[in-house]
């Protein structure tokens, strides 16, 4: 998880990314090893993680999912949840 933005006022707002890694499946296509997204595993991970992250409202903070996306590059495949935070800075 990483914080993209956050401010230092009494009422704080910010955005966070939570990434869930899902390894590629290795398959042979025309005798060549290929990496393909594991669609079933991506769906299972999303269905398990999403309820944990969405709509968390307490007296000190609120967190909700802004969006969810699958990100794939040559080496990695993961689900990215972008979270929005609203919190009170009581320090």
């Amino acid at each position: 998880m990483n914080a993209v933005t956050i401010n230092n006022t009494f009422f704080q707002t910010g955005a966070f990314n939570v990434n869930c890694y899902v390894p590629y499946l290795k398959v042979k296509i025309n005798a060549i090893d290929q990496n393909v997204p594991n669609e079933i595993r991506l769906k299972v991970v999303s269905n398990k993680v999403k309820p944990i992250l969405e709509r968390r409202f307490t007296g000190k903070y609120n967190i909700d999912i802004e969006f969810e996306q699958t990100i794939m590059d040559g080496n990695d495949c993961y689900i990215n949840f972008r979270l929005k935070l609203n919190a009170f800075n009581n320090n």
Side-chain angles (χ1 to χ4, degrees), residues 7-78:
N7 57 36
N8 198 23
T9 61
F10 174 71
F11 182 69
Q12 297 179 324
T13 60
F16 295 85
N17 288 309
V18 174
N19 296 322
C20 302
Y21 175 73
V22 177
Y24 281 117
L25 291 175
K26 299 214 182 276
V27 298
K28 279 199 182 285
I29 301 173
N30 296 328
I32 299 171
D33 288 332
Q34 302 284 324
N35 289 331
V36 296
N38 187 338
E39 299 291 342
I40 294 170
R41 185 75 175 150
L42 286 164
K43 181 92 170 143
V44 168
V45 169
S46 175
N47 288 341
K48 295 285 185 182
V49 173
K50 192 172 187 174
I52 296 168
L53 299 176
E54 69 185 346
R55 294 192 169 96
R56 295 288 164 198
F57 302 107
T58 74
K60 296 182 179 184
Y61 66 87
N62 301 331
I63 295 176
D64 204 4
I65 298 172
E66 282 188 316
F67 64 85
E68 170 189 355
Q69 65 182 345
T70 301
I71 299 175
M72 295 174 274
D73 65 27
N75 300 318
D76 298 307
C77 181
Y78 52 94

